[in-house]
Amino acid sequence: MTDGLVAELIDTVAWVRIEQGKILCARPRGKDVFYIPGGKREDGESDLQTLVREIEEELTVALVPETAAHVGVYEAADGSVSVRMSCYTAEYRGTLTASSEIEALAWFSYADRALVPPVDQLLFDELATAGLLR
């Protein structure tokens, strides 16, 4: 990092699941911060392929690809790293269950905004403005 410039861009895809005005968040094992579920793209994967794979790995449910809808792309610096998060909604099959890599699941309201990283906070702001997050 030189002159305060971001040294790395992390490109992620995230699943936006809102129920009763709250958004689903997950805390990976060994971390103290909750995130919108999802993860990094593997070589050659599309957003949808990444989303389906990551959500199955993290939450043990199968997203229904034909129901996926793009919410937006958010980008924010977090220290020397910039995180870009492409967000999608989608229906799912199965029961939401934390996998072995996820320590906890939680449903967050806008009041919990400070508990998520800066890029997730941008999504929280937009959802609250739209009246989707209470």
Side-chain angles (χ1 to χ4, degrees):
M1 187 170 91
T2 59
D3 298 328
L5 297 177
V6 172
E8 179 183 3
L9 173 66
I10 298 174
D11 188 23
T12 66
V13 179
W15 182 42
V16 177
R17 182 67 191 182
I18 300 171
E19 294 183 11
Q20 300 175 353
K22 294 187 175 188
I23 189 168
L24 180 64
C25 292
R27 183 168 48 84
R29 292 206 181 280
K31 305 277 184 177
D32 58 359
V33 176
F34 279 85
Y35 300 87
I36 305 299
K40 296 177 194 172
R41 178 183 340 272
E42 290 183 357
D43 286 342
E45 277 186 329
S46 68
D47 282 3
L48 187 56
Q49 290 168 327
T50 303
L51 190 66
V52 167
R53 176 183 53 76
E54 284 286 347
I55 297 308
E56 185 173 4
E57 288 174 4
E58 292 182 358
L59 306 176
T60 71
V61 296
L63 293 185
V64 181
E66 59 271 15
T67 66
H70 189 251
V71 173
V73 178
Y74 307 88
E75 190 169 329
D78 194 354
S80 65
V81 174
S82 184
V83 179
R84 179 184 300 136
M85 183 173 69
S86 298
C87 296
Y88 294 82
T89 59
E91 295 303 314
Y92 69 96
R93 292 188 186 99
T95 302
L96 289 170
T97 306
S99 72
S100 60
E101 64 184 59
I102 301 298
E103 192 161 351
L105 297 177
W107 292 93
F108 281 5
S109 68
Y110 190 72
D112 300 307
R113 179 184 181 275
L115 302 176
V116 299
V119 71
D120 295 39
Q121 291 178 8
L122 297 174
L123 173 64
F124 272 50
D125 293 343
E126 188 169 292
L127 294 172
T129 298
L132 298 173
L133 195 59
R134 25 176 198 132

